[in-house]
Amino acid sequence: MTVDLAAAAKERGIKYFLISYTDLFGVQRAKLVPASAINGMARSGAGFAGFATWLDMTPADPDLFAVPDPDSLIQLPWKPEVGWLAADLWMNGKEVAQAPRNLLKRLVKDAAAQGYTMKTGVECEFFLTTPDGLEVCDSADRQTKPCYDQSALMRQYDVIAELCDAMLALGWKPYQNDHEDANGQFEMNWNFGDVLVTADRHSFFKYMAKSIAEKHGLRATFMPKPFLNLTGSGCHAHVSVWNGERNLFEDEAGELGVSQLGYHFIGGVIHSADALCALFNPTVNSYKRINAPRTTSGATWSPNTVTYSGNNRTHMIRIPEGGRFELRLPDGAANPYLLQAGIVAAGLDGIRNKRDPGKRLDINMYTDGHLVEGVKKLPLNMLDALRALEASEVLKEGLGAFVPAYLKLKHQEWNDYARHLTQWERDVTLDC
Ligand code: ADP
Ligand code: MG
Ligand code: MG
C-alpha cells in the first residue's frame, strides 16, 4: 500500500517531513521539508551533495537525490508535527548501489526471487549517560551485578516509559524493558518483522532514544564499549526465514527444532563471520567489546569465537528455541541496514552452498573455550576485520559495489585512528 504524503500530512497534522537516509557509517542525514513541498520531493527526491556525507563520492559528482519511501512514514511521537521518512538514494537516474538501504532492498529482492523472506528482531542495548557522555546517568547505579536492577530501572522510568509509550502508539508491539548488565545500561524489546521494516525501525529507534533522552537532560549512546570495566552494548539479531506463512527454520524433527535449511543459513554466517565483523562491529571501539576481558559483572556477554550453541549465551550464535537463531556478534554501532544486509548475504550463500556449521558446542565458552581445538577466533581489531572483508569472495559477490566503497572509507578511518598517540604507548615505551 502506498501512502499519499500530502493527504497524510493534512489528515495527521504533519507540518514538516524529515527526508532521511543513513550513510555508510550509520549517520542519519536529513532535509526538513515543509508539507507544501512534499509531493514534488516524493517524486524527484530531496537533493544532497553526496561527498559531504560518508558515501564514497567526490565533490564533482552531480546531485544525489533522496527519494522517500512513503511506506516508512513515522510521525515523531515526541513532536507529531514532523513526519520521518526513510529514503533511497539515486544519482544520474540510477540507484546508488553502495547506499545501505538500497543495498538491503536489493538483497531482500534477491531472497524473494528464491522464495525466501527473512524476518528479524534486534535487541538494541544502550547507555543513558550525562550529556558529555563521560559518566552513566545515575550515580546511585553502582551494583557490581546491576542487571534487572528494579530501582535503577525505575529511576529512569520517565525516559523508558516515554520510549515504550511511543513504540506502543506506533504499533511496534513492544513487550519488555529492562536494566541491562552494565550500570546505566538498558534494553527495550519490540516484536520482530520483515527485515526492511526492522531495519527502518532500528534506525528510528536510535534517533528516538537519543532525542527523548536529550529532552530529559541525558544522553543515549549505542557506543559498543563506552566504559572499559563494564559490559558493552550489543545489538543481538534474531533471525528466521519464511515462505509466506511458513517458517522455513522450523522443524520439530531437526536438532533443537531447527531445519536443515536453518543450519545451512547458520553455516553461511559462520563461514563469513570474520568478514561480517567489518559490518557488525564497524568501529575501533567495537573490538573492546568482543574479545574483552571479564567485566565487573562477571561476564562480557559477548563472543570471542566463531561458534554456535543451544540456549547458551557464551557463543556467537545461540539457538534459544526451534525456528530461529540469535546472532550475538553485532554491537550498538552496527548500521541497521548493513547489519541485516550482511546476514542476508551470508545466509543466502549458506543455503546456496549448503554450508555446514560444524558441531554445536555446549560448553561454557568463557571458562572452557581453551579446551576445544580448531575454534576460529574473531578479529582482534577493525583492521583485521576490514582485511577479512577484503578477502571474502562471498561478501564481495553478495554485497557488490558496496564493498570497495566501504573498504576505502573505513581504511581512511583506520589510518586516522592510527595517527593518534596514546597514553598507553607512553607508559609502555617511554623507557624502552
Ligand atoms: P533475548 O534477550 O532472550 O535474547 P529478547 O526477548 O530480548 O531475547 O529479543 C528477542 C527478539 O527476537 C525480539 O525482537 C523478538 O521479536 C525476536 N524474535 C522472536 N521470534 C523470532 C523469529 N522467529 N524470527 C525472528 N525474530 C524473532
Ligand atoms: Mg534481550
Ligand atoms: Mg539476546
Side-chain angles (χ1 to χ4, degrees):
M1 185 190 64
T2 308
V3 183
D4 176 344
L5 289 173
K10 221 176 244 159
E11 205 176 288
R12 304 200 206 172
I14 294 174
K15 284 164 63 181
Y16 288 92
F17 287 93
L18 266 178
I19 298 183
S20 172
Y21 72 86
T22 300
D23 70 18
L24 297 190
F25 284 8
V27 186
Q28 291 188 45
R29 315 279 182 171
K31 280 204 172 170
L32 187 63
V33 173
S36 56
I38 193 62
N39 275 351
M41 293 282 186
R43 266 195 310 276
S44 48
F48 290 81
F51 175 72
T53 72
W54 301 115
L55 283 170
D56 186 30
M57 289 179 176
T58 79
D61 281 327
D63 263 8
L64 170 76
F65 289 102
V67 179
D69 179 346
D71 293 333
S72 68
L73 175 62
I74 298 175
Q75 217 166 337
L76 305 191
W78 65 99
K79 202 180 267 296
E81 65 191 51
V82 179
W84 179 88
L85 289 162
D88 299 313
L89 296 183
W90 292 74
M91 188 182 271
N92 285 328
K94 284 198 297 242
E95 290 197 67
V96 177
Q98 74 268 31
R101 194 173 191 271
N102 297 41
L103 172 64
L104 181 58
K105 280 177 80 170
R106 201 256 296 157
L107 284 158
V108 165
K109 233 189 197 164
D110 289 355
Q114 297 166 53
Y116 304 131
T117 304
M118 188 178 122
K119 293 185 191 262
T120 182
V122 287
E123 303 175 63
C124 314
E125 293 172 341
F126 60 95
F127 282 81
L128 289 175
T129 70
T130 50
D132 59 11
L134 293 177
E135 287 166 58
V136 302
C137 62
D138 178 2
S139 57
D141 185 351
R142 298 165 70 104
Q143 291 206 55
T144 49
K145 277 193 186 290
C147 209
Y148 318 121
D149 182 329
Q150 176 172 282
S151 301
L153 170 67
M154 289 308 284
R155 283 198 293 273
Q156 306 312 320
Y157 177 82
D158 290 349
V159 178
I160 301 295
E162 187 172 340
L163 277 165
C164 192
D165 284 348
M167 292 194 279
L168 285 164
L170 292 171
W172 293 10
K173 297 196 166 59
Y175 60 88
Q176 62 181 6
N177 310 294
D178 73 4
H179 188 293
E180 274 294 317
D181 195 54
N183 305 110
Q185 192 188 37
F186 300 87
E187 180 182 313
M188 312 186 60
N189 301 116
W190 70 91
N191 206 11
F192 70 100
D194 284 0
V195 67
L196 187 66
V197 171
T198 291
D200 282 341
R201 288 180 179 175
H202 183 183
S203 302
F204 188 80
F205 179 81
K206 291 180 86 168
Y207 171 50
M208 178 162 72
K210 290 174 194 169
S211 303
I212 288 177
E214 222 168 80
K215 224 182 78 178
H216 290 266
L218 303 175
R219 185 174 192 151
T221 177
F222 296 83
M223 183 174 172
K225 192 84 169 181
F227 305 103
L228 259 192
N229 54 338
L230 301 181
T231 296
S233 288
C235 184
H236 304 163
H238 293 249
V239 180
S240 53
V241 168
W242 299 64
N243 182 282
E245 294 297 301
R246 206 158 66 86
N247 180 351
L248 302 178
F249 279 9
E250 223 162 61
D251 181 358
E252 270 178 37
E255 280 278 319
L256 303 173
V258 171
S259 65
Q260 189 60 251
L261 183 117
Y263 281 109
H264 287 151
F265 194 103
I266 291 173
V269 173
I270 284 185
H271 179 77
S272 295
D274 51 353
L276 286 168
C277 285
L279 309 181
F280 297 168
N281 313 99
T283 62
V284 167
N285 180 255
S286 296
Y287 296 85
K288 304 214 154 75
R289 170 182 165 266
I290 54 179
N291 304 308
R294 200 191 302 170
T295 59
T296 49
S297 74
T300 62
W301 301 108
S302 64
N304 308 316
T305 50
V306 184
T307 51
Y308 79 102
S309 186
N311 200 348
N312 173 337
R313 289 183 162 84
T314 64
H315 295 265
M316 186 185 84
I317 287 176
R318 174 172 75 111
I319 300 175
E321 61 178 0
R324 70 172 151 133
F325 70 87
E326 176 191 48
L327 182 61
R328 302 176 58 82
L329 183 55
D331 64 46
N335 179 321
Y337 300 98
L338 299 180
L339 161 57
Q340 303 300 345
I343 300 173
V344 178
L348 287 182
D349 163 69
I351 294 175
R352 198 169 41 248
N353 292 300
K354 298 191 168 24
R355 299 237 186 245
D356 176 6
K359 245 174 69 107
R360 183 178 90 225
L361 288 181
D362 291 323
I363 56 170
N364 175 344
M365 206 57 197
Y366 296 154
T367 53
D368 301 335
H370 60 285
L371 301 176
V372 271
E373 272 176 36
V375 166
K376 233 168 64 179
K377 290 266 188 205
L378 289 169
L380 288 177
N381 58 39
M382 186 172 116
L383 182 61
D384 262 8
L386 295 179
R387 287 182 172 153
L389 177 59
E390 222 153 16
S392 167
E393 292 309 322
V394 170
L395 293 189
K396 278 193 286 192
E397 195 192 320
L399 303 175
F402 159 80
V403 173
Y406 187 70
L407 284 173
K408 183 175 144 198
L409 295 178
K410 276 285 167 187
H411 275 298
Q412 281 170 11
E413 191 185 45
W414 176 265
N415 291 340
D416 181 37
Y417 164 68
R419 277 195 290 271
H420 282 75
L421 190 59
T422 61
Q423 186 58 41
W424 181 89
E425 287 167 81
R426 285 188 184 285
D427 293 346
V428 169
T429 331
L430 207 55
D431 293 327
C432 65

